[in-house]
């Protein structure tokens, strides 16, 4: 199990998001050769009774440049600053096909493992976006700065845009991540984004 700790902000436009990630401020503290681009397609799953999402659990399989990663997230703690902290399990799988038996071996809590692996999963919605990322050194912490641009798409074809910046703590302290976020948000006049892709997707399909 790992813990995802991040700050999320709105990007006013694709050009604004790319500009921030390629700014002199970010470049001066970036780690050499860490910049990367990932084409992402994620399918989010639950059963028809919304067993997982009604309990605050997100389950997806994401294609990351040809690698399929199944992820379960839960126990989200967040505030109005765009900060969130979530427990997660990740496992590499062979395809988007929702066989969650892989979690049986890695989820430590038996009841939780049974819940994930015994549902009959159905696709809820899809996210498709390109992520540009770079690792930065801030004080004693390493932070992944990323810009996501794309769409959330329902089965009916309705969509919502994705245009957001994420700063995820890879190592170091939450305090330094928060400090970094305050500096970046003030310098670039960023607005906190307090709604996850999962929540936006659920809102889209409930309309």
């Amino acid at each position: 199990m790992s813990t995802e700790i991040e700050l999320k902000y709105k990007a006013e436009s694709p050009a604004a998001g790319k500009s921030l990630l390629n700014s002199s401020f970010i470049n001066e503290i970036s780690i050499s050769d860490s910049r990367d681009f990932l084409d992402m397609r994620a399918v989010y799953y639950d059963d028809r009774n919304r067993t997982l999402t009604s309990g605050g659990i997100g389950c997806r399989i994401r294609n990351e440049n040809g690698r399929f990663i199944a992820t379960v997230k839960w126990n989200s703690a967040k505030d109005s600053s765009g900060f969130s902290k979530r427990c997660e399990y990740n496992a590499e799988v062979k395809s988007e096909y929702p066989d969650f038996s892989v979690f049986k071996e890695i989820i430590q809590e038996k009841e939780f493992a049974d819940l994930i692996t015994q549902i009959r999963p159905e696709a809820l919605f899809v996210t498709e976006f390109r992520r540009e990322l770079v690792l930065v050194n801030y004080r004693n912490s390493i932070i992944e700065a990323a810009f996501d641009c794309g769409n959330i798409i329902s089965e009916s074809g309705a969509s919502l845009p994705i245009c957001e910046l994420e700063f995820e703590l890879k190592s170091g302290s939450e305090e330094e991540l928060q400090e970094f976020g305050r500096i970046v948000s003030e310098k670039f006049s960023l607005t906190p984004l307090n709604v996850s892709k999962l929540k936006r997707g659920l809102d889209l399909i409930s309309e």
Side-chain angles (χ1 to χ4, degrees):
M1 185 182 72
S2 60
T3 303
E4 178 189 69
I5 303 171
E6 68 180 14
L7 290 163
K8 187 178 291 194
Y9 299 93
K10 296 177 183 177
E12 294 303 317
S13 67
K18 293 176 183 178
S19 178
L20 186 153
L21 215 62
N22 290 278
S23 65
S24 58
F25 173 78
I26 293 294
N27 285 332
E28 286 171 6
I29 58 174
S30 66
I31 297 174
S32 297
D33 300 322
S34 67
R35 193 173 293 272
D36 200 0
F37 297 87
L38 295 172
D39 290 312
M40 308 273 212
R41 171 186 159 86
V43 183
Y44 286 74
Y45 292 98
D46 202 348
D47 63 14
R48 63 181 55 193
N49 296 319
R50 301 293 189 265
T51 300
L52 301 182
T53 52
S54 64
I57 302 167
C59 195
R60 71 172 187 229
I61 297 179
R62 189 160 71 188
N63 183 341
E64 302 180 3
N65 276 9
R67 291 179 65 224
F68 293 95
I69 308 296
T71 299
V72 176
K73 297 185 182 185
W74 77 102
N75 280 355
S76 179
K78 53 189 176 182
D79 61 31
S80 60
S81 70
F83 174 84
S84 67
K85 184 175 183 179
R86 290 172 286 206
C87 300
E88 68 175 39
Y89 281 103
N90 295 290
E92 189 161 354
V93 292
K94 295 181 180 179
S95 72
E96 287 182 353
Y97 180 78
D99 178 5
F100 296 131
S101 61
V102 64
F103 290 116
K104 194 78 171 180
E105 298 178 2
I106 64 173
I107 294 180
Q108 299 166 358
E109 303 89 345
K110 184 180 183 305
E111 288 186 6
F112 187 57
D114 289 343
L115 177 66
I116 300 299
T117 57
Q118 290 177 7
I119 68 164
R120 290 189 171 185
E122 299 179 356
L124 298 176
F125 60 87
V126 173
T127 61
E128 295 180 347
F129 58 94
R130 166 161 268 214
R131 170 170 292 175
E132 180 178 356
L133 64 88
V134 64
L135 297 177
V136 300
N137 273 319
Y138 181 74
R139 297 190 183 276
N140 296 308
S141 297
I142 296 177
I143 297 166
E144 180 184 281
F147 170 57
D148 293 346
C149 185
N151 293 282
I152 302 170
I153 307 163
S154 73
E155 188 176 28
S156 69
S159 66
L160 291 171
I162 296 171
C163 192
E164 60 193 44
L165 293 149
E166 295 182 358
F167 304 116
E168 182 178 348
L169 185 66
K170 292 299 185 181
S171 67
S173 71
E174 290 183 36
E175 291 76 13
E176 289 179 350
L177 174 66
Q178 295 275 22
E179 183 180 316
F180 176 80
R182 285 193 295 271
I183 292 171
V184 176
S185 62
E186 290 173 6
K187 186 175 183 65
F188 295 94
S189 301
L190 298 178
T191 301
L193 182 59
N194 301 306
V195 183
S196 67
K197 294 181 182 73
L198 172 61
K199 179 61 167 63
R200 295 186 71 210
L202 292 173
D203 290 345
L204 177 65
I205 63 176
S206 66
E207 291 178 353

